[in-house]
Amino acid sequence: MVGREVLLIFSVLLAQVIFLWPMLSGSRSLVHDNIVWNYPAFTFYFSELSNGHLPIFNFFSRFGEAFAPLAAQMRFFDPIQTILGLGLWNLFDSEWLAFNWFHFVVGWLQALGVYLLFRRESSNVWVRLLLMLAVFWSSILFAPFRQDGFLNQFLWAPWLALLLREQFVLRRPKFWALMLLSFFIGVSFQSYFFVGACLFVLVFVGFHLVCRIPVQFFEM
């Protein structure tokens, strides 16, 4: 079952690479907020890091200001995204390729978290295939190619919910689970993007607490 599922995931990945090849090959660029706001910040941040400089000053607005507020708005304080972006920046010769592939990979991380969260609900390979198509061919993955507000709000929320369910609801949590939970919550606290992850976690935990209330309580 796992082997067939992995094969299906790679098949979906290959189909998406083919479908999005005009952007992933650099012949087309991202649009809307990404091209206006995110691309200049992305190129400045990773060009500075790749040259061994710490980007601390923002040259893009109001004749210059501290770069930290913009870095938080771009989620550059997330070490996973920074390491990924730096790796892609050094892998590709083109800034466009690094920028476009960055959004594709991060979008896939988000979609994969949603899929893994819901895959437990079915053990049938065909139902899981439909779940893959519903998740990986939805706005969860394609919205970041236009603007990344949804991505920044929701990126780690499904992973947080998955961790809470598997390590805190279904079993007694271990120390590494506590540390990983703290990490995901911590990297979500950038700019105002903490709202999405926190609301999702509160609703998720509240739902499980309500489900633990005995049925007799509601019959009183």
Side-chain angles (χ1 to χ4, degrees), residues 149-164:
F150 175 78
L151 177 71
N152 292 333
Q153 288 272 4
F154 192 71
L155 174 60
W156 298 124
W159 294 96
L160 276 166
L162 179 65
L163 181 63
L164 285 170

Side-chain angles (χ1 to χ4, degrees), residues 19-50:
F19 179 74
L20 297 171
W21 189 247
M23 277 188 290
L24 299 180
S25 63
S27 58
R28 293 183 185 176
S29 64
L30 304 187
V31 296
H32 199 52
D33 283 11
N34 281 323
I35 195 65
V36 175
W37 306 107
N38 298 341
Y39 179 73
F42 180 92
T43 54
F44 170 70
Y45 181 72
F46 288 109
S47 64
E48 289 290 290
L49 283 184
S50 63

Side-chain angles (χ1 to χ4, degrees), residues 6-21 24 101 104 108 136-137 141:
V6 172
L7 181 61
L8 287 172
I9 290 177
F10 275 103
S11 299
V12 172
L13 175 60
L14 178 61
Q16 284 185 333
V17 170
I18 295 173
F19 179 74
L20 297 171
W21 189 247
L24 299 180
W101 274 95
F104 177 72
W108 244 83
F136 289 106
W137 290 91
L141 189 137

